[in-house]
Amino acid sequence: KEIQFDQPIINLFLDNSESLWISTYEKGIYRVKKDKIRSKQVLFPNTTSVLSEQDIEGGLWIHSYEEGLNMLPYPNYEYFNSKTHPSLLNKVSSLAFDRQELLTAYSGEAIIKYNLKSGKVDSILTPKLTNKVVESLYKDTIAEILWVSQRGSLFYQIDGIWKAFKTDKIPGFNSRSKVQIIGYDVDTDCNIAICDNRYFLFRDTIIKYVSPEFEDKVFTICKLSNRTFVSTFSGVYLQEGGTVVEMKTKFSPLKELVHSINEFDGNIFFAIKNRGLYSLQNDSLKLFKYKGFPIENALVLKGGEDSLWVFSNQGSFLLKNKGEISAFERLPKKLSSVSYTH
């Protein structure tokens, strides 16, 4: 069956059983199980809810301002929420897990830790945090540090104590700046974060590297060994060592915002909303096609080492190793707009 969405997709999540969960703006969450969409299984219809985390026992966690914090126990997917469990507060804006199975969430009033085994919830006092909404949470499981990003500030908690992160080494940081921590990079043994027109690397609580300033805000980056691909709102750059190359000068399609950059099967894939899906190999940029037609408005999610999920105007596809592409259950056939979350 063909499913169309009138509203944007805001998040894609592939769980451990290879089910794909599609979070939409104001239309709830859809589940795709391998090659079949279960269109009748729509969670939280008419809400903007996001399924973005899976715990160690397979439970799937959902948050939204309308429905609060919710969990789908594996494998039955029968959810409980903050209405049936009053200890889980409403208006949850972000989630994070740590290795002790503690769920960390922001409720608009406090940061909460929920122990999955005991079922107990403990509110954490945040006296040093501002009154602004928490933009994102990130748990560094190596250094055991919890990070909280708010507009114009970044805080971390270590050994139960909250401290403000020193941003003086980030040029141009101001009260409107927003930090988004992407994740851990094995090659540099650092975490990667985006801040306005730059990105930076940090280990523990010390900044190790700050990138040059790009001409527009950084949207996402893909770091591969000594090469870093940087997507800004006005095009793509390639950074190798201390050299920054404007890829948009050499490849005209890369003058626009690239929504996602993925390495797959020896190629770099760029998904460009208004142009299509491109692959870069041996310094050559090629437009990827299906049955002779460009894959327009592509949104890409890497599903392990052997496949890419590709969503586009023509439908949805699985791209396998060796360039094999197969039509997937065609959802969505048309996207009104796209945003990509990490």
Side-chain angles (χ1 to χ4, degrees):
K1 181 178 179 180
E2 197 169 277
I3 300 295
Q4 297 187 17
F5 296 106
D6 298 325
Q7 301 291 349
I9 290 175
I10 59 174
N11 192 64
L12 301 173
F13 183 81
L14 192 67
D15 69 21
N16 294 338
S17 66
E18 296 187 354
S19 287
L20 181 68
W21 299 84
I22 303 167
S23 303
T24 65
Y25 181 71
E26 295 184 342
K27 294 295 183 180
I29 301 172
Y30 290 77
R31 178 190 178 196
V32 181
K33 188 176 181 181
K34 293 187 177 178
D35 61 349
K36 183 179 180 181
I37 179 170
R38 300 180 62 180
S39 58
K40 294 183 179 179
Q41 187 173 1
V42 181
L43 300 175
F44 311 116
N46 303 318
T47 70
T48 302
S49 300
V50 179
L51 192 157
S52 60
E53 297 285 353
Q54 186 167 28
D55 62 41
I56 195 170
E57 295 182 358
L60 299 166
W61 292 83
I62 301 169
H63 68 281
S64 72
Y65 262 53
E66 298 95 336
E67 295 290 338
L69 182 61
N70 305 270
M71 193 270 279
L72 305 171
Y74 179 83
N76 296 322
Y77 297 128
E78 296 177 358
Y79 69 89
F80 68 83
N81 60 23
S82 53
K83 295 178 181 177
T84 59
H85 293 68
S87 60
L88 299 180
L89 302 183
N90 288 315
K91 296 185 178 180
V92 177
S93 64
S94 53
L95 299 177
F97 280 97
D98 70 21
R99 64 183 64 187
Q100 282 79 32
E101 299 183 352
L102 289 174
L103 169 70
T104 309
Y106 177 74
S107 67
E109 299 176 1
I111 295 175
I112 303 168
K113 282 191 176 181
Y114 179 80
N115 191 299
L116 301 178
K117 290 185 176 180
S118 68
K120 295 181 180 180
V121 175
D122 297 319
S123 294
I124 303 176
L125 296 178
T126 55
K128 290 181 178 288
L129 303 187
T130 67
N131 295 325
K132 298 178 182 178
V133 172
V134 169
E135 300 282 353
S136 64
L137 297 170
Y138 178 78
K139 182 59 185 284
D140 182 345
T141 57
I142 297 176
E144 290 297 326
I145 299 174
L146 173 63
W147 293 88
V148 174
S149 174
Q150 293 177 297
R151 184 74 66 175
S153 56
L154 184 64
F155 297 90
Y156 63 93
Q157 186 197 54
I158 184 168
D159 296 329
I161 301 174
W162 285 103
K163 296 182 180 180
F165 184 69
K166 293 182 179 180
T167 57
D168 55 301
K169 291 186 178 181
I170 306 175
F173 191 92
N174 57 62
S175 61
R176 300 183 63 183
S177 294
K178 178 182 176 182
V179 176
Q180 179 185 358
I181 301 175
I182 296 177
Y184 174 73
D185 175 51
V186 176
D187 294 328
T188 60
D189 188 28
C190 289
N191 289 302
I192 307 175
I194 291 172
C195 180
D196 301 333
N197 295 34
R198 304 175 188 269
Y199 72 89
F200 63 93
L201 306 179
F202 66 96
R203 184 185 298 118
D204 298 335
T205 61
I206 301 173
I207 293 178
K208 297 293 185 177
Y209 171 79
V210 178
S211 76
E213 183 178 19
F214 297 93
E215 67 179 60
D216 209 337
K217 289 186 177 181
V218 175
F219 182 79
T220 188
I221 72 172
C222 180
K223 199 173 186 310
L224 303 169
S225 187
N226 64 335
R227 296 191 301 168
T228 303
F229 294 91
V230 181
S231 172
T232 74
F233 280 80
S234 59
V236 177
Y237 297 82
L238 171 60
Q239 183 176 2
E240 293 188 85
T243 304
V244 176
V245 178
E246 293 188 8
M247 296 189 70
K248 60 181 184 176
T249 301
K250 185 173 183 179
F251 305 111
S252 60
L254 301 184
K255 290 180 179 179
E256 301 181 20
L257 171 63
V258 172
H259 284 84
S260 62
I261 307 173
N262 291 274
E263 185 277 331
F264 175 69
D265 199 23
N267 298 330
I268 304 297
F269 284 84
F270 300 96
I272 308 173
K273 178 185 174 184
N274 296 320
R275 286 184 174 265
L277 182 65
Y278 289 80
S279 62
L280 177 67
Q281 186 177 36
N282 298 327
D283 204 34
S284 177
L285 189 68
K286 296 182 180 179
L287 179 63
F288 208 90
K289 297 182 179 181
Y290 179 70
K291 293 184 177 180
F293 294 95
I295 299 177
E296 299 176 346
N297 283 5
L299 177 64
V300 180
L301 175 69
K302 192 167 184 178
E305 296 300 321
D306 62 347
S307 62
L308 284 181
W309 294 86
V310 181
F311 293 82
S312 70
N313 279 6
Q314 293 99 316
S316 302
F317 310 91
L318 274 177
L319 179 63
K320 295 286 188 177
N321 284 331
K322 300 180 181 179
E324 299 175 0
I325 186 168
S326 57
F328 189 62
E329 194 71 34
R330 300 174 70 82
L331 87 106
K333 187 166 184 179
K334 187 176 182 180
L335 292 178
S336 58
S337 64
V338 174
S339 65
Y340 195 86
T341 58
H342 300 272

